Amino acid sequence: GAVVSQHPSWVICKSGTSVKIECRSLDFQATTMFWYRQFPKQSLMLMATSNEGSKATYEQGVEKDKFLINHASLTLSTLTVTSAHPEDSSFYICSATRTSGPTDTQYFGPGTRLTVL
Amino acid sequence: DAKTTQPNSMESNEEEPVHLPCNHSTISGTDYIHWYRQLPSQGPEYVIHGLTSNVNNRMASLAIAEDRKSSTLILHRATLRDAAVYYCILEMNSGGSNYKLTFGKGTLLTVNP
């Protein structure tokens, strides 16, 4: 199988601080990684798409200076929520694909629950 | 963007088949139909995908209408572990060689013992 891990699984931080979430593909090389956000009782919303070694492509309405994405290797992508505020509290989920074609399965991580006080 | 329409919720009994419908009347010829499911407080899990022909795998079957405007995910024998939100998604080209999934609200499947 293809396993994607996220760290941490949950984090609580104070308003104004920055939080980094890691997403790793454990047994495959991920050409493309995706970051989603999910609020309670709602569906997943794609935040950005990142290809290894390239700048991330952000969805409309997602602030790239607030949600910094780094995809420095084929097995690791990080999402940093800068100057977090209570409204950023959410479930953040990453996914990874081996390549970037239309039939490639996205393998999802278990998610990171962020609570900003 | 091509969208999908699914019932908000469905209920099934354990050991019985479940047919989860999805309408995608604005699908284009190159859009693949993907199904993912999400258990509570977990990341989604791939179930199956197809383009034109019906597909089977160890988890489920996907029946695609001849005009491709609808599809049905079939769980042959529902178990309690199949209780989840099921998402029917058309994978869209997001530019260049990247494809993305746009999640709708999905169908919450409840499985009764």
Side-chain angles (χ1 to χ4, degrees):
Chain A
V3 180
V4 175
S5 70
Q6 283 185 240
H7 178 79
S9 55
W10 60 269
V11 58
I12 302 173
C13 70
K14 292 182 178 180
S15 185
T17 60
S18 294
V19 174
K20 180 185 283 190
I21 302 170
E22 290 186 351
C23 176
R24 293 182 184 272
S25 56
L26 298 185
D27 52 1
F28 68 99
Q29 294 188 325
T31 300
T32 306
M33 285 184 164
F34 304 83
W35 285 96
Y36 296 83
R37 180 167 54 179
Q38 185 174 34
F39 293 108
K41 305 286 186 185
Q42 294 187 24
S43 189
L44 282 77
M45 287 176 46
L46 179 64
M47 299 175 68
T49 303
S50 73
N51 293 310
E52 184 263 338
S54 303
K55 287 185 179 179
T57 301
Y58 290 81
E59 293 298 300
Q60 194 171 9
V62 177
E63 300 173 58
K64 62 180 181 181
D65 294 331
K66 180 170 183 62
F67 298 100
L68 303 179
I69 292 171
N70 184 283
H71 190 169
S73 79
L74 285 172
T75 59
L76 174 64
S77 176
T78 59
L79 168 67
T80 302
V81 183
T82 62
S83 187
H85 291 285
E87 57 266 30
D88 298 322
S89 298
S90 188
F91 193 45
Y92 291 86
I93 308 170
C94 71
S95 71
T97 59
R98 288 188 172 90
T99 59
S100 55
T103 62
D104 286 319
T105 299
Q106 284 193 26
Y107 299 99
F108 286 82
T112 296
R113 190 162 301 282
L114 170 64
T115 302
V116 185
L117 302 177
Chain B
D1 287 353
K3 295 190 186 301
T4 61
T5 305
Q6 299 177 252
N8 289 334
S9 62
M10 289 186 67
E11 210 167 311
S12 172
N13 295 320
E14 203 174 6
E15 304 281 305
E16 292 183 356
V18 182
H19 290 231
L20 297 165
C22 180
N23 286 321
H24 29 78
S25 58
T26 58
I27 191 171
S28 73
T30 55
D31 289 339
Y32 279 80
I33 303 159
H34 290 250
W35 284 82
Y36 284 76
R37 69 181 185 182
Q38 184 179 24
L39 279 65
S41 297
Q42 295 187 28
E45 173 188 30
Y46 167 80
V47 179
I48 201 166
H49 75 273
L51 182 62
T52 56
S53 304
N54 294 343
V55 185
N56 299 298
N57 67 21
R58 64 175 181 81
M59 288 182 70
S61 295
L62 176 60
I64 301 173
E66 201 168 327
D67 63 5
R68 300 209 328 124
K69 293 186 177 182
S70 65
S71 61
T72 302
L73 178 70
I74 303 165
L75 305 179
H76 296 286
R77 289 181 64 194
T79 69
L80 297 178
R81 290 179 296 177
D82 292 322
V85 177
Y86 285 78
Y87 296 100
C88 167
I89 305 165
L90 302 182
E91 189 160 28
M92 327 261 338
N93 186 292
S94 60
S97 59
N98 282 329
Y99 288 80
K100 65 179 182 180
L101 302 176
T102 301
F103 284 78
K105 295 183 179 180
T107 296
L108 174 63
L109 175 66
T110 301
V111 180
N112 299 315

